[in-house]
Amino acid sequence: MSVENKVEKRREIYAHRGASGKYFENTMKAFYGAVEEGADGIELDVQLSKDGVFFVIHDSDLYRLSGIRKTISEMDAAEIQQIRIGKRFLRGVKGSSIPTLSSVISFAALESIGLNIELKETVSDHPECLSSLLDQISVLDEVYISSFDYNLVEKVKQLNPDMEAGLLLKKSMLTDHQLSDYPAADAFHFHKRMMKEPYLSQWQQTKKTIRVYGVDGSEPFVNSPPDFIYGWITDYPERFTK
């Protein structure tokens, strides 16, 4: 094929906490927005309630999102479902409920959209809950797990070797380590700030799936992405799907 006729492959587009650049994060409005904007999938966060129910919410502490000074882990599911989250002065009239993971799974199956399920600290505190979570998501064709907690990544692969598990990387995780020190990870996800040395050479050399988050479409490397990048995780999926 000539250079002129070569078609650049489109990277996988996952909507970060839904289409959160337009809608409030991790709400059903943001997830429906991701579908409307043509995303391939949705990146979302999962926390565990006191009585063992998985909820889709980033913070373990509810204050930022709801103004309530409580944590997810000290509340039962019935209490959490009464909470309204959203912008500070609009929660009372335009607030959203906190979705359960089971409701989002049903939504994803109906809309045929993928899920990237990031496991948060309350799941790290109770790794025994992973079997239940993996059972719940097994109905989906396009789903994978991600976490900053490498122990959880290892546990996922032990419980289900066929489930893709991605490790979210901080700079500190590569200060005294290499990517090869995390063999259980099928994929590596990192912030766009790490698209430079001393990390760039590692991204180029690894055979694992690479996804970059924090991108908004204005980055120079988005228009001409390196071959090693498999996908983007963004608040603005429409900017990548047009």
mmCIF file of all heavy atoms in Angstrom, residues 157-198:
data_model
loop_
_atom_site.group_PDB
_atom_site.id
_atom_site.type_symbol
_atom_site.label_atom_id
_atom_site.label_comp_id
_atom_site.label_asym_id
_atom_site.label_seq_id
_atom_site.Cartn_x
_atom_site.Cartn_y
_atom_site.Cartn_z
ATOM 1 N N LYS A 157 -5.938 -11.558 38.024
ATOM 2 C CA LYS A 157 -5.383 -12.549 37.102
ATOM 3 C C LYS A 157 -5.376 -13.944 37.712
ATOM 4 O O LYS A 157 -5.511 -14.950 36.991
ATOM 5 C CB LYS A 157 -3.972 -12.150 36.685
ATOM 6 C CG LYS A 157 -3.890 -10.837 35.913
ATOM 7 C CD LYS A 157 -4.775 -10.835 34.672
ATOM 8 C CE LYS A 157 -4.302 -11.804 33.603
ATOM 9 N NZ LYS A 157 -5.131 -11.713 32.375
ATOM 10 N N GLN A 158 -5.236 -14.036 39.027
ATOM 11 C CA GLN A 158 -5.316 -15.343 39.692
ATOM 12 C C GLN A 158 -6.727 -15.911 39.626
ATOM 13 O O GLN A 158 -6.920 -17.102 39.386
ATOM 14 C CB GLN A 158 -4.876 -15.202 41.159
ATOM 15 C CG GLN A 158 -3.395 -14.922 41.348
ATOM 16 C CD GLN A 158 -3.055 -14.500 42.763
ATOM 17 O OE1 GLN A 158 -3.914 -14.511 43.657
ATOM 18 N NE2 GLN A 158 -1.808 -14.112 42.987
ATOM 19 N N LEU A 159 -7.718 -15.033 39.819
ATOM 20 C CA LEU A 159 -9.109 -15.473 39.824
ATOM 21 C C LEU A 159 -9.641 -15.741 38.427
ATOM 22 O O LEU A 159 -10.457 -16.642 38.229
ATOM 23 C CB LEU A 159 -9.981 -14.415 40.514
ATOM 24 C CG LEU A 159 -9.768 -14.243 42.016
ATOM 25 C CD1 LEU A 159 -10.502 -13.012 42.517
ATOM 26 C CD2 LEU A 159 -10.244 -15.482 42.767
ATOM 27 N N ASN A 160 -9.199 -14.929 37.462
ATOM 28 C CA ASN A 160 -9.673 -15.075 36.091
ATOM 29 C C ASN A 160 -8.554 -14.699 35.125
ATOM 30 O O ASN A 160 -8.421 -13.529 34.751
ATOM 31 C CB ASN A 160 -10.905 -14.201 35.843
ATOM 32 C CG ASN A 160 -11.491 -14.413 34.454
ATOM 33 O OD1 ASN A 160 -10.900 -15.100 33.614
ATOM 34 N ND2 ASN A 160 -12.653 -13.832 34.203
ATOM 35 N N PRO A 161 -7.745 -15.658 34.720
ATOM 36 C CA PRO A 161 -6.615 -15.363 33.823
ATOM 37 C C PRO A 161 -7.029 -14.736 32.494
ATOM 38 O O PRO A 161 -6.205 -14.086 31.842
ATOM 39 C CB PRO A 161 -5.980 -16.746 33.603
ATOM 40 C CG PRO A 161 -6.384 -17.552 34.797
ATOM 41 C CD PRO A 161 -7.769 -17.076 35.142
ATOM 42 N N ASP A 162 -8.294 -14.909 32.093
ATOM 43 C CA ASP A 162 -8.758 -14.372 30.821
ATOM 44 C C ASP A 162 -9.222 -12.919 30.901
ATOM 45 O O ASP A 162 -9.445 -12.284 29.862
ATOM 46 C CB ASP A 162 -9.908 -15.220 30.271
ATOM 47 C CG ASP A 162 -9.464 -16.635 29.917
ATOM 48 O OD1 ASP A 162 -8.303 -16.792 29.499
ATOM 49 O OD2 ASP A 162 -10.274 -17.564 30.060
ATOM 50 N N MET A 163 -9.358 -12.394 32.115
ATOM 51 C CA MET A 163 -9.803 -11.015 32.279
ATOM 52 C C MET A 163 -8.618 -10.072 32.117
ATOM 53 O O MET A 163 -7.608 -10.207 32.792
ATOM 54 C CB MET A 163 -10.426 -10.817 33.672
ATOM 55 C CG MET A 163 -10.835 -9.376 33.982
ATOM 56 S SD MET A 163 -12.096 -8.710 32.873
ATOM 57 C CE MET A 163 -13.484 -9.812 33.247
ATOM 58 N N GLU A 164 -8.743 -9.103 31.206
ATOM 59 C CA GLU A 164 -7.665 -8.127 31.054
ATOM 60 C C GLU A 164 -7.587 -7.247 32.303
ATOM 61 O O GLU A 164 -8.601 -6.741 32.782
ATOM 62 C CB GLU A 164 -7.897 -7.239 29.831
ATOM 63 C CG GLU A 164 -6.779 -6.213 29.651
ATOM 64 C CD GLU A 164 -6.993 -5.263 28.495
ATOM 65 O OE1 GLU A 164 -7.600 -5.679 27.476
ATOM 66 O OE2 GLU A 164 -6.564 -4.097 28.610
ATOM 67 N N ALA A 165 -6.378 -7.067 32.804
ATOM 68 C CA ALA A 165 -6.154 -6.239 33.983
ATOM 69 C C ALA A 165 -5.056 -5.235 33.680
ATOM 70 O O ALA A 165 -3.930 -5.613 33.357
ATOM 71 C CB ALA A 165 -5.782 -7.094 35.190
ATOM 72 N N GLY A 166 -5.395 -3.953 33.781
ATOM 73 C CA GLY A 166 -4.437 -2.898 33.497
ATOM 74 C C GLY A 166 -3.937 -2.240 34.771
ATOM 75 O O GLY A 166 -4.709 -2.029 35.719
ATOM 76 N N LEU A 167 -2.654 -1.919 34.799
ATOM 77 C CA LEU A 167 -2.062 -1.224 35.937
ATOM 78 C C LEU A 167 -1.967 0.260 35.629
ATOM 79 O O LEU A 167 -1.357 0.665 34.633
ATOM 80 C CB LEU A 167 -0.669 -1.783 36.243
ATOM 81 C CG LEU A 167 0.067 -1.148 37.417
ATOM 82 C CD1 LEU A 167 -0.684 -1.396 38.735
ATOM 83 C CD2 LEU A 167 1.500 -1.670 37.516
ATOM 84 N N LEU A 168 -2.587 1.071 36.474
ATOM 85 C CA LEU A 168 -2.448 2.518 36.385
ATOM 86 C C LEU A 168 -1.124 2.912 37.024
ATOM 87 O O LEU A 168 -0.820 2.499 38.149
ATOM 88 C CB LEU A 168 -3.608 3.203 37.103
ATOM 89 C CG LEU A 168 -4.934 3.198 36.339
ATOM 90 C CD1 LEU A 168 -6.110 3.223 37.297
ATOM 91 C CD2 LEU A 168 -4.996 4.384 35.407
ATOM 92 N N LEU A 169 -0.357 3.690 36.306
ATOM 93 C CA LEU A 169 1.004 3.997 36.749
ATOM 94 C C LEU A 169 1.140 5.433 37.235
ATOM 95 O O LEU A 169 0.665 6.371 36.593
ATOM 96 C CB LEU A 169 1.991 3.781 35.600
ATOM 97 C CG LEU A 169 2.227 2.327 35.186
ATOM 98 C CD1 LEU A 169 2.953 2.275 33.854
ATOM 99 C CD2 LEU A 169 3.027 1.582 36.256
ATOM 100 N N LYS A 170 1.812 5.593 38.368
ATOM 101 C CA LYS A 170 2.291 6.882 38.830
ATOM 102 C C LYS A 170 3.793 6.941 38.566
ATOM 103 O O LYS A 170 4.464 5.912 38.457
ATOM 104 C CB LYS A 170 2.041 7.046 40.328
ATOM 105 C CG LYS A 170 0.584 6.973 40.743
ATOM 106 C CD LYS A 170 0.472 7.055 42.256
ATOM 107 C CE LYS A 170 -0.975 6.929 42.707
ATOM 108 N NZ LYS A 170 -1.096 6.967 44.192
ATOM 109 N N LYS A 171 4.330 8.158 38.507
ATOM 110 C CA LYS A 171 5.768 8.310 38.286
ATOM 111 C C LYS A 171 6.563 7.562 39.351
ATOM 112 O O LYS A 171 7.603 6.952 39.058
ATOM 113 C CB LYS A 171 6.149 9.788 38.277
ATOM 114 C CG LYS A 171 5.620 10.562 37.077
ATOM 115 C CD LYS A 171 6.048 12.014 37.125
ATOM 116 C CE LYS A 171 5.516 12.774 35.914
ATOM 117 N NZ LYS A 171 5.916 14.208 35.949
ATOM 118 N N SER A 172 6.085 7.593 40.597
ATOM 119 C CA SER A 172 6.799 6.943 41.696
ATOM 120 C C SER A 172 6.909 5.433 41.509
ATOM 121 O O SER A 172 7.825 4.799 42.043
ATOM 122 C CB SER A 172 6.112 7.246 43.025
ATOM 123 O OG SER A 172 4.776 6.762 43.022
ATOM 124 N N MET A 173 5.987 4.846 40.732
ATOM 125 C CA MET A 173 5.998 3.393 40.521
ATOM 126 C C MET A 173 7.094 2.964 39.555
ATOM 127 O O MET A 173 7.378 1.780 39.406
ATOM 128 C CB MET A 173 4.621 2.935 40.034
ATOM 129 C CG MET A 173 3.529 3.160 41.059
ATOM 130 S SD MET A 173 1.846 3.001 40.392
ATOM 131 C CE MET A 173 1.756 1.239 40.103
ATOM 132 N N LEU A 174 7.711 3.953 38.877
ATOM 133 C CA LEU A 174 8.811 3.647 37.963
ATOM 134 C C LEU A 174 10.123 4.298 38.392
ATOM 135 O O LEU A 174 11.091 4.295 37.641
ATOM 136 C CB LEU A 174 8.455 4.094 36.543
ATOM 137 C CG LEU A 174 7.314 3.322 35.872
ATOM 138 C CD1 LEU A 174 7.019 3.904 34.498
ATOM 139 C CD2 LEU A 174 7.652 1.833 35.744
ATOM 140 N N THR A 175 10.142 4.831 39.613
ATOM 141 C CA THR A 175 11.373 5.442 40.120
ATOM 142 C C THR A 175 12.454 4.402 40.338
ATOM 143 O O THR A 175 13.601 4.560 39.910
ATOM 144 C CB THR A 175 11.105 6.208 41.429
ATOM 145 O OG1 THR A 175 10.121 7.217 41.201
ATOM 146 C CG2 THR A 175 12.389 6.862 41.947
ATOM 147 N N ASP A 176 12.079 3.329 41.022
ATOM 148 C CA ASP A 176 13.032 2.251 41.300
ATOM 149 C C ASP A 176 12.625 0.939 40.632
ATOM 150 O O ASP A 176 13.142 -0.119 40.973
ATOM 151 C CB ASP A 176 13.154 2.032 42.809
ATOM 152 C CG ASP A 176 13.696 3.256 43.523
ATOM 153 O OD1 ASP A 176 14.681 3.838 43.028
ATOM 154 O OD2 ASP A 176 13.125 3.642 44.556
ATOM 155 N N HIS A 177 11.667 1.015 39.696
ATOM 156 C CA HIS A 177 11.164 -0.188 39.037
ATOM 157 C C HIS A 177 11.067 0.038 37.533
ATOM 158 O O HIS A 177 11.055 1.169 37.050
ATOM 159 C CB HIS A 177 9.783 -0.564 39.582
ATOM 160 C CG HIS A 177 9.780 -0.960 41.018
ATOM 161 N ND1 HIS A 177 10.063 -2.223 41.436
ATOM 162 C CD2 HIS A 177 9.541 -0.229 42.142
ATOM 163 C CE1 HIS A 177 9.983 -2.282 42.760
ATOM 164 N NE2 HIS A 177 9.672 -1.083 43.209
ATOM 165 N N GLN A 178 10.952 -1.078 36.808
ATOM 166 C CA GLN A 178 10.713 -1.073 35.374
ATOM 167 C C GLN A 178 9.342 -1.705 35.118
ATOM 168 O O GLN A 178 8.759 -2.343 36.002
ATOM 169 C CB GLN A 178 11.803 -1.872 34.645
ATOM 170 C CG GLN A 178 13.202 -1.354 34.873
ATOM 171 C CD GLN A 178 13.439 0.000 34.239
ATOM 172 O OE1 GLN A 178 13.037 0.229 33.092
ATOM 173 N NE2 GLN A 178 14.098 0.893 34.965
ATOM 174 N N LEU A 179 8.836 -1.532 33.915
ATOM 175 C CA LEU A 179 7.563 -2.174 33.576
ATOM 176 C C LEU A 179 7.630 -3.682 33.756
ATOM 177 O O LEU A 179 6.631 -4.319 34.110
ATOM 178 C CB LEU A 179 7.168 -1.836 32.137
ATOM 179 C CG LEU A 179 6.863 -0.376 31.825
ATOM 180 C CD1 LEU A 179 6.441 -0.228 30.360
ATOM 181 C CD2 LEU A 179 5.780 0.187 32.741
ATOM 182 N N SER A 180 8.784 -4.245 33.545
ATOM 183 C CA SER A 180 8.954 -5.700 33.682
ATOM 184 C C SER A 180 8.774 -6.179 35.116
ATOM 185 O O SER A 180 8.613 -7.376 35.355
ATOM 186 C CB SER A 180 10.327 -6.127 33.161
ATOM 187 O OG SER A 180 11.357 -5.444 33.847
ATOM 188 N N ASP A 181 8.781 -5.252 36.068
ATOM 189 C CA ASP A 181 8.556 -5.618 37.468
ATOM 190 C C ASP A 181 7.071 -5.800 37.778
ATOM 191 O O ASP A 181 6.722 -6.139 38.913
ATOM 192 C CB ASP A 181 9.136 -4.548 38.401
ATOM 193 C CG ASP A 181 10.649 -4.460 38.325
ATOM 194 O OD1 ASP A 181 11.290 -5.529 38.169
ATOM 195 O OD2 ASP A 181 11.193 -3.349 38.415
ATOM 196 N N TYR A 182 6.217 -5.588 36.779
ATOM 197 C CA TYR A 182 4.767 -5.743 36.952
ATOM 198 C C TYR A 182 4.237 -6.742 35.922
ATOM 199 O O TYR A 182 3.401 -6.404 35.074
ATOM 200 C CB TYR A 182 4.081 -4.383 36.788
ATOM 201 C CG TYR A 182 4.600 -3.322 37.737
ATOM 202 C CD1 TYR A 182 5.408 -2.283 37.277
ATOM 203 C CD2 TYR A 182 4.285 -3.351 39.089
ATOM 204 C CE1 TYR A 182 5.886 -1.296 38.134
ATOM 205 C CE2 TYR A 182 4.752 -2.369 39.965
ATOM 206 C CZ TYR A 182 5.558 -1.354 39.477
ATOM 207 O OH TYR A 182 6.026 -0.380 40.339
ATOM 208 N N PRO A 183 4.690 -7.982 35.991
ATOM 209 C CA PRO A 183 4.371 -8.953 34.936
ATOM 210 C C PRO A 183 2.905 -9.348 34.850
ATOM 211 O O PRO A 183 2.449 -9.777 33.791
ATOM 212 C CB PRO A 183 5.243 -10.160 35.296
ATOM 213 C CG PRO A 183 5.476 -10.038 36.770
ATOM 214 C CD PRO A 183 5.569 -8.564 37.033
ATOM 215 N N ALA A 184 2.144 -9.216 35.931
ATOM 216 C CA ALA A 184 0.735 -9.624 35.901
ATOM 217 C C ALA A 184 -0.126 -8.670 35.087
ATOM 218 O O ALA A 184 -1.214 -9.052 34.639
ATOM 219 C CB ALA A 184 0.189 -9.729 37.324
ATOM 220 N N ALA A 185 0.343 -7.465 34.886
ATOM 221 C CA ALA A 185 -0.451 -6.468 34.155
ATOM 222 C C ALA A 185 -0.492 -6.797 32.667
ATOM 223 O O ALA A 185 0.541 -7.016 32.042
ATOM 224 C CB ALA A 185 0.130 -5.077 34.368
ATOM 225 N N ASP A 186 -1.699 -6.797 32.112
ATOM 226 C CA ASP A 186 -1.872 -6.967 30.661
ATOM 227 C C ASP A 186 -1.714 -5.646 29.934
ATOM 228 O O ASP A 186 -1.440 -5.623 28.729
ATOM 229 C CB ASP A 186 -3.265 -7.514 30.350
ATOM 230 C CG ASP A 186 -3.513 -8.862 30.991
ATOM 231 O OD1 ASP A 186 -2.706 -9.780 30.761
ATOM 232 O OD2 ASP A 186 -4.509 -8.995 31.730
ATOM 233 N N ALA A 187 -1.932 -4.547 30.660
ATOM 234 C CA ALA A 187 -1.910 -3.217 30.051
ATOM 235 C C ALA A 187 -1.351 -2.225 31.057
ATOM 236 O O ALA A 187 -1.377 -2.457 32.269
ATOM 237 C CB ALA A 187 -3.320 -2.805 29.630
ATOM 238 N N PHE A 188 -0.870 -1.113 30.537
ATOM 239 C CA PHE A 188 -0.414 -0.005 31.372
ATOM 240 C C PHE A 188 -1.150 1.254 30.961
ATOM 241 O O PHE A 188 -1.228 1.578 29.766
ATOM 242 C CB PHE A 188 1.104 0.200 31.235
ATOM 243 C CG PHE A 188 1.919 -0.952 31.746
ATOM 244 C CD1 PHE A 188 2.644 -1.744 30.867
ATOM 245 C CD2 PHE A 188 1.962 -1.249 33.098
ATOM 246 C CE1 PHE A 188 3.392 -2.820 31.329
ATOM 247 C CE2 PHE A 188 2.705 -2.321 33.575
ATOM 248 C CZ PHE A 188 3.427 -3.102 32.689
ATOM 249 N N HIS A 189 -1.691 1.954 31.963
ATOM 250 C CA HIS A 189 -2.392 3.209 31.731
ATOM 251 C C HIS A 189 -1.626 4.303 32.466
ATOM 252 O O HIS A 189 -1.265 4.125 33.636
ATOM 253 C CB HIS A 189 -3.823 3.153 32.277
ATOM 254 C CG HIS A 189 -4.650 2.063 31.686
ATOM 255 N ND1 HIS A 189 -5.931 1.773 32.133
ATOM 256 C CD2 HIS A 189 -4.413 1.184 30.680
ATOM 257 C CE1 HIS A 189 -6.428 0.767 31.424
ATOM 258 N NE2 HIS A 189 -5.508 0.389 30.539
ATOM 259 N N PHE A 190 -1.394 5.428 31.810
ATOM 260 C CA PHE A 190 -0.650 6.503 32.471
ATOM 261 C C PHE A 190 -1.128 7.854 31.979
ATOM 262 O O PHE A 190 -1.716 7.984 30.902
ATOM 263 C CB PHE A 190 0.854 6.351 32.232
ATOM 264 C CG PHE A 190 1.257 6.317 30.784
ATOM 265 C CD1 PHE A 190 1.504 7.486 30.078
ATOM 266 C CD2 PHE A 190 1.382 5.109 30.113
ATOM 267 C CE1 PHE A 190 1.870 7.454 28.748
ATOM 268 C CE2 PHE A 190 1.756 5.065 28.778
ATOM 269 C CZ PHE A 190 1.993 6.246 28.091
ATOM 270 N N HIS A 191 -0.883 8.897 32.791
ATOM 271 C CA HIS A 191 -1.280 10.253 32.449
ATOM 272 C C HIS A 191 -0.394 10.793 31.337
ATOM 273 O O HIS A 191 0.774 10.420 31.209
ATOM 274 C CB HIS A 191 -1.187 11.152 33.682
ATOM 275 C CG HIS A 191 -1.872 12.467 33.512
ATOM 276 N ND1 HIS A 191 -1.238 13.570 32.960
ATOM 277 C CD2 HIS A 191 -3.134 12.867 33.813
ATOM 278 C CE1 HIS A 191 -2.080 14.585 32.937
ATOM 279 N NE2 HIS A 191 -3.239 14.194 33.442
ATOM 280 N N LYS A 192 -0.951 11.703 30.551
ATOM 281 C CA LYS A 192 -0.221 12.259 29.414
ATOM 282 C C LYS A 192 1.084 12.928 29.819
ATOM 283 O O LYS A 192 1.995 13.067 28.997
ATOM 284 C CB LYS A 192 -1.101 13.246 28.657
ATOM 285 C CG LYS A 192 -1.453 14.509 29.442
ATOM 286 C CD LYS A 192 -2.328 15.439 28.619
ATOM 287 C CE LYS A 192 -2.680 16.710 29.385
ATOM 288 N NZ LYS A 192 -3.557 17.601 28.598
ATOM 289 N N ARG A 193 1.202 13.342 31.081
ATOM 290 C CA ARG A 193 2.453 13.954 31.543
ATOM 291 C C ARG A 193 3.632 12.989 31.472
ATOM 292 O O ARG A 193 4.786 13.409 31.518
ATOM 293 C CB ARG A 193 2.293 14.477 32.974
ATOM 294 C CG ARG A 193 1.378 15.679 33.111
ATOM 295 C CD ARG A 193 1.466 16.285 34.508
ATOM 296 N NE ARG A 193 1.011 15.359 35.535
ATOM 297 C CZ ARG A 193 -0.229 15.310 36.006
ATOM 298 N NH1 ARG A 193 -1.149 16.146 35.520
ATOM 299 N NH2 ARG A 193 -0.578 14.459 36.945
ATOM 300 N N MET A 194 3.320 11.691 31.343
ATOM 301 C CA MET A 194 4.385 10.692 31.267
ATOM 302 C C MET A 194 4.717 10.319 29.823
ATOM 303 O O MET A 194 5.420 9.343 29.572
ATOM 304 C CB MET A 194 4.002 9.462 32.085
ATOM 305 C CG MET A 194 3.870 9.751 33.574
ATOM 306 S SD MET A 194 3.286 8.338 34.559
ATOM 307 C CE MET A 194 4.762 7.305 34.580
ATOM 308 N N MET A 195 4.238 11.125 28.892
ATOM 309 C CA MET A 195 4.596 10.925 27.480
ATOM 310 C C MET A 195 5.923 11.623 27.181
ATOM 311 O O MET A 195 6.021 12.494 26.304
ATOM 312 C CB MET A 195 3.484 11.447 26.578
ATOM 313 C CG MET A 195 2.344 10.487 26.386
ATOM 314 S SD MET A 195 2.792 9.076 25.322
ATOM 315 C CE MET A 195 2.938 9.886 23.751
ATOM 316 N N LYS A 196 6.938 11.279 27.925
ATOM 317 C CA LYS A 196 8.270 11.866 27.770
ATOM 318 C C LYS A 196 9.275 10.940 28.453
ATOM 319 O O LYS A 196 8.899 9.986 29.156
ATOM 320 C CB LYS A 196 8.324 13.254 28.396
ATOM 321 C CG LYS A 196 8.035 13.263 29.903
ATOM 322 C CD LYS A 196 8.021 14.671 30.468
ATOM 323 C CE LYS A 196 7.738 14.658 31.972
ATOM 324 N NZ LYS A 196 7.695 16.033 32.534
ATOM 325 N N GLU A 197 10.541 11.211 28.236
ATOM 326 C CA GLU A 197 11.570 10.458 28.937
ATOM 327 C C GLU A 197 11.605 10.898 30.403
ATOM 328 O O GLU A 197 11.238 12.030 30.721
ATOM 329 C CB GLU A 197 12.942 10.692 28.270
ATOM 330 C CG GLU A 197 13.030 10.160 26.852
ATOM 331 C CD GLU A 197 12.905 8.646 26.764
ATOM 332 O OE1 GLU A 197 12.816 7.967 27.807
ATOM 333 O OE2 GLU A 197 12.875 8.137 25.641
ATOM 334 N N PRO A 198 11.974 9.981 31.323
ATOM 335 C CA PRO A 198 12.586 8.675 31.065
ATOM 336 C C PRO A 198 11.594 7.538 30.830
ATOM 337 O O PRO A 198 11.971 6.370 30.858
ATOM 338 C CB PRO A 198 13.358 8.433 32.364
ATOM 339 C CG PRO A 198 12.496 9.065 33.410
ATOM 340 C CD PRO A 198 11.923 10.298 32.756
#
